[in-house]
């Protein structure tokens, strides 16, 4: 069985997913600007509203990226149309993973970049960038888990559980960070210091995220056929 | 004879359904109608032929490509449209055409434009605003304009109103005249199949009951009305598929009709009142009830 990837079609399917996500992407970026504007005001109340809005937007981007590309396609029966095109299950898996990562990572990285810029260019303590990295890292992991589950499981219930479950874990995660004195001590400072626990968490987030994506690729790509 | 596809001893097992020991060949340039009730296994068969599903056992070769291993190469030459296949609601037909055009180098833009006119579709309209009939036509356009060597249509006329159904069938009849294009289309509507097909296959409960040229099917079957006492020996006649009382008369349905059958019936004491050819629907129902007994 050939394992050569059909890159021209994979690229077209990625572009297709990007085009389907464009309107939502614009709305998310608009919301991101509003959230960052609040953060940039560097007032305690504005920081609270801005950070909350930013987290909501990140969660929304992650959920909508997975939902639009996989769950909605399945529900609206457009997947059969895509699978009838000259693609193998491996091509399809690569296209779905890459297309989904593209639609998620573009707004995610834009928001991450501008969050860092806001932190460094306003009176907010520069140490907050550590907290921002941990929060963005958590959303990235939750997204990878949701994507892997959506690639693997057709049940809408399990997919919603994976999405909501992984995303709401941000609350206990923030509480956990709040208990870490070594992390808390650097957040209010004007120097960017990366304490060992924060680096360990970021490393674990990267590993979990990559493991989820690798599993989704391996599990779906080795199938000889779609059904 | 070059075959568009060959299935040999193909089985596909699902927890609730099995396609069993299925062997079927479609010669190049032929239009085959696949008739079966809902749940007969028609969609499973079409999924196997597109490489979307892998067989549990047996061999599948489509346009010279072994499936599902060479499904990418095979799907470049296959046009597949299914009743449950949907397009992207928020996008226009032009967007879909552009997507498919970029994937298939054989895309015929002039032909696509003529199909747009024939199907009375607007390329700039969002697919979400299409009626079911328009959606079917849009799918057919996306399949046909890529000039496939094999066209696989799963229930293309299901759910269409009579006018849309007639339009789709007329359009299909026109575009299927290409002698080199092979077509397999499934339906539970025998009238549609009779209208378009060169050959017909009956499926039931995952098995192939019968497969033959349309004319042979229609020539071989007869419905006979007669009066008299039915002798027990009649049930042993291999040609007799079904007998039942029809008022004061007896209705007999025969396969492999021979011209000497009325005489043989008279010899066993049955007086033939009437002999009628059977419709494809009647032949199908009788075959299913007889369990495909040859």
């Amino acid at each position: 069985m050939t394992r050569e990837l059909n890159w021209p079609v994979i690229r077209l399917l990625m572009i297709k997913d990007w085009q389907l996500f464009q309107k939502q992407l614009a709305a998310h970026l608009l919301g991101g600007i509003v959230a960052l504007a609040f953060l940039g005001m560097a007032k305690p109340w504005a920081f609270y509203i801005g950070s909350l809005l930013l987290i909501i937007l990140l969660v929304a981007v992650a959920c909508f990226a997975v939902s639009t590309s996989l769950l909605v396609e399945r529900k609206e029966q457009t997947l059969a149309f895509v699978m009838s095109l000259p693609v193998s299950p491996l091509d399809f898996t690569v296209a779905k993973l890459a297309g989904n990562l593209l639609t998620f990572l573009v707004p995610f990285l834009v928001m991450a970049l501008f969050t860092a810029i806001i932190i460094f260019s306003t009176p907010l303590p520069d140490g907050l960038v550590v907290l921002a990295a941990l929060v963005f890292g958590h959303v990235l992991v939750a997204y990878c888990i949701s994507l892997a589950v959506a690639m693997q499981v057709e049940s809408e219930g399990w997919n919603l559980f994976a999405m909501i479950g992984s995303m709401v874990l941000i609350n206990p995660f923030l509480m956990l960070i709040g208990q870490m004195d070594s992390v808390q001590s650097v957040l209010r400072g004007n120097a960017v210091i990366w304490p060992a626990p924060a680096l360990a968490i970021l490393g674990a987030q990267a590993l979990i995220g990559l493991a989820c994506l690798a599993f989704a690729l391996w599990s779906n790509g080795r199938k000889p056929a779609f059904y | 004879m070059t075959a568009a596809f060959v299935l040999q001893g193909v089985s596909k097992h699902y927890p609730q359904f099995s396609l069993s020991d299925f062997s079927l060949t479609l010669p190049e340039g032929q239009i085959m109608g696949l008739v079966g009730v809902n749940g007969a296994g028609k969609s499973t068969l079409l999924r196997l032929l597109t490489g979307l599903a892998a067989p549990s056992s047996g061999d599948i070769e489509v346009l010279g490509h072994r499936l599902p291993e060479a499904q990418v190469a095979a799907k470049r030459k296959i046009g597949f449209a299914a009743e449950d296949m949907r397009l992207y609601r928020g996008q226009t037909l032009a967007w879909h055409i552009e997507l498919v055009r970029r994937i298939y180098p054989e895309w015929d833009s002039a032909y696509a434009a003529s199909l747009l006119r024939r199907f009375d579709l607007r390329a700039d309209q969002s697919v979400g605003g299409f009626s079911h009939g328009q959606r079917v036509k849009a799918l057919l356009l996306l399949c046909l304009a890529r000039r496939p060597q094999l066209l696989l249509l799963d229930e293309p006329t299901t759910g269409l109103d009579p006018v849309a159904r007639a339009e789709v069938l007329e359009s299909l009849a026109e575009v299927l005249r290409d002698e080199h294009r092979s077509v397999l289309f499934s339906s539970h509507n025998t009238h549609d199949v009779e209208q378009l097909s060169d050959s017909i296959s009956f499926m039931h409960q995952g098995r192939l009951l019968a497969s033959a040229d349309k004319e042979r099917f229609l020539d071989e079957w007869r419905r006979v009305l007669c009066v008299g006492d039915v002798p027990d020996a009649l049930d042993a006649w291999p040609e007799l598929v079904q007998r039942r009382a029809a008022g004061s008369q007896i209705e007999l349905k025969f396969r492999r009709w021979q011209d000497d059958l009325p005489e043989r019936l008279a010899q066993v004491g049955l007086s033939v009142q009437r002999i009628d050819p059977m419709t494809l629907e009647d032949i199908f129902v009788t075959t299913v009830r007889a369990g495909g007994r040859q």
Side-chain angles (χ1 to χ4, degrees), chain B residues 47-59:
Chain B
R47 279 181 178 181
L48 288 165
L49 285 169
T50 47
L52 295 181
S56 306
S57 61
D59 296 310

Side-chain angles (χ1 to χ4, degrees), chain A residues 7 16 29 33-34 41 66 102 126 128 141 159 181 186:
Chain A
W7 282 111
K16 173 203 66 106
L29 286 177
I33 291 168
V34 174
M41 291 167 79
V66 174
L102 178 73
D126 289 356
L128 272 178
V141 170
N159 276 295
D181 292 338
V186 301

Side-chain angles (χ1 to χ4, degrees), chain A residues 1-2 6 8-9 11-13 15-17 19-20 23 73 76-89 91 96 223-227, chain B residues 12 14 47 50-54 68-73 75-76 78 80 84-91 95-96 99-100 102-104 139 142 146:
Chain A
M1 177 171 179
T2 178
N6 187 358
V9 178
R11 194 176 64 84
L12 284 171
L13 294 181
I15 293 170
K16 173 203 66 106
D17 277 353
Q19 288 173 339
L20 292 174
K23 285 178 188 166
E73 282 204 342
E76 296 191 351
Q77 296 171 302
T78 46
L79 272 184
F81 170 69
V82 178
M83 291 188 298
S84 73
L85 300 172
V87 285
S88 66
D91 296 332
K96 273 292 155 202
K223 291 179 185 170
F226 291 98
Y227 299 103
Chain B
K12 176 69 182 174
Y14 291 111
R47 279 181 178 181
T50 47
L52 295 181
E69 293 85 348
Q71 61 176 287
V72 174
K75 283 195 281 190
R76 285 199 183 103
I78 294 174
F80 176 49
D84 62 355
M85 190 184 272
R86 300 287 184 271
L87 299 172
Y88 293 93
R89 294 178 57 81
Q91 305 298 325
W95 180 87
H96 287 86
L99 175 68
V100 177
R102 293 174 71 179
I103 290 173
Y104 292 89
L139 269 172
L142 293 171
R146 67 179 81 155

Side-chain angles (χ1 to χ4, degrees), chain B residues 185-250:
Chain B
F185 82 100
S186 75
S187 179
H188 56 254
N189 188 322
T190 51
H191 299 294
D192 296 351
V193 171
E194 199 169 348
Q195 206 171 321
L196 293 178
S197 308
D198 302 317
S199 62
I200 293 162
S201 296
F202 290 157
M203 273 189 87
H204 191 59
Q205 294 180 339
R207 289 187 306 125
L208 182 67
L209 296 185
S211 184
D213 291 345
K214 180 173 71 179
E215 300 309 325
R216 207 180 116 198
F217 257 119
L218 298 173
D219 284 348
E220 278 195 341
W221 286 77
R222 289 290 184 280
R223 174 179 173 268
V224 178
L225 286 175
C226 44
V227 291
D229 292 327
V230 179
D232 292 339
L234 192 69
D235 289 334
W237 287 19
E239 301 91 344
L240 182 68
V241 180
Q242 191 184 81
R243 78 171 165 97
R244 63 174 188 173
S248 59
Q249 296 177 313
I250 301 148

Side-chain angles (χ1 to χ4, degrees), chain B residues 10-13 18-23 205-208:
Chain B
V10 171
S11 298
K12 176 69 182 174
H13 303 296
S18 284
L19 189 84
S20 309
D21 195 22
F22 208 97
S23 296
Q205 294 180 339
R207 289 187 306 125
L208 182 67

